[in-house]
Amino acid sequence: DTGVSQNPRHKITKRGQNVTFRCDPISEHNRLYWYRQTLGQGPEFLTYFQNEAQLEKSRLLSDRFSAERPKGSFSTLEIQRTEQGDSAMYLCASSVAGGRDEQYFGPGTRLTVT
Amino acid sequence: DAKTTQPTSMDCAEGRAANLPCNHSTISGNEYVYWYRQIHSQGPQYIIHGLKNNETNEMASLIITEDRKSSTLILPHATLRDTAVYYCIVSLPGGGSNYKLTFGKGTLLTVNP
């Protein structure tokens, strides 16, 4: 257990539905990251927050995806109008800016779109 | 980020040292080498990182060649719990303007009893 928690751990949804995932980082970590991982591939960067500011979004993050980090604490990742191609593991990580540079990952949320 | 090349898979006997190679021939002078691993159904776990000197911590040792074009992660006494995908990543340090990790496919290390 790294101290980063994600909920839910598994989500099955029908195509076209909206889903929201939550990430609770390690409390003193001011940086928070979202990654997506498909079967057989390494994680791919989606977006990054420093405190409450979203500083970068990957081109992988289409208009159907939105992420927030209100008050610089937990973060949510919402996917609207889900597609089968959205099926993946969604990983959250956190770190301390200027620290040892390591990112601590949560267990992930596995999304299956049917 | 510079790209890395790793073998797709490796086997190691339990109790023996596991040596995982990584090529990063286009690494720039201020980029670090990071190693993470991912045990099945878990998120990636940080192992170690270094710039040019060899590094050791409680989990592993990192040997970086003098020209910095390749490195080796060493698990001194592999156990069954070390079976995982190991990712070698080249990146600027997180304290700077870069922060995202670019993962490749990694090396699946299987530790056999």
Side-chain angles (χ1 to χ4, degrees), chain A residues 46-60:
Chain A
L46 291 179
T47 191
Y48 152 68
F49 291 85
Q50 178 147 328
N51 300 313
E52 66 276 8
Q54 187 174 19
L55 297 186
E56 183 175 338
K57 294 192 292 185
S58 163
R59 58 180 173 78
L60 295 174

Side-chain angles (χ1 to χ4, degrees), chain A residues 24-96:
Chain A
D24 287 273
I26 295 171
S27 59
E28 62 267 26
H29 284 187
N30 54 355
R31 289 185 169 180
L32 187 145
Y33 316 79
W34 285 98
Y35 292 82
R36 181 176 69 185
Q37 185 173 25
T38 53
L39 203 61
Q41 304 296 318
E44 297 174 289
F45 171 81
L46 291 179
T47 191
Y48 152 68
F49 291 85
Q50 178 147 328
N51 300 313
E52 66 276 8
Q54 187 174 19
L55 297 186
E56 183 175 338
K57 294 192 292 185
S58 163
R59 58 180 173 78
L60 295 174
L61 215 64
S62 75
D63 291 344
R64 297 184 297 105
F65 288 71
S66 63
E68 295 181 341
R69 193 183 182 198
K71 302 178 183 178
S73 56
F74 71 93
S75 176
T76 58
L77 178 67
E78 181 183 16
I79 309 174
Q80 296 182 328
R81 305 181 303 280
T82 53
E83 302 173 355
Q84 287 188 321
D86 297 332
S87 294
M89 176 75 82
Y90 290 84
L91 293 159
C92 174
S94 69
S95 71
V96 176

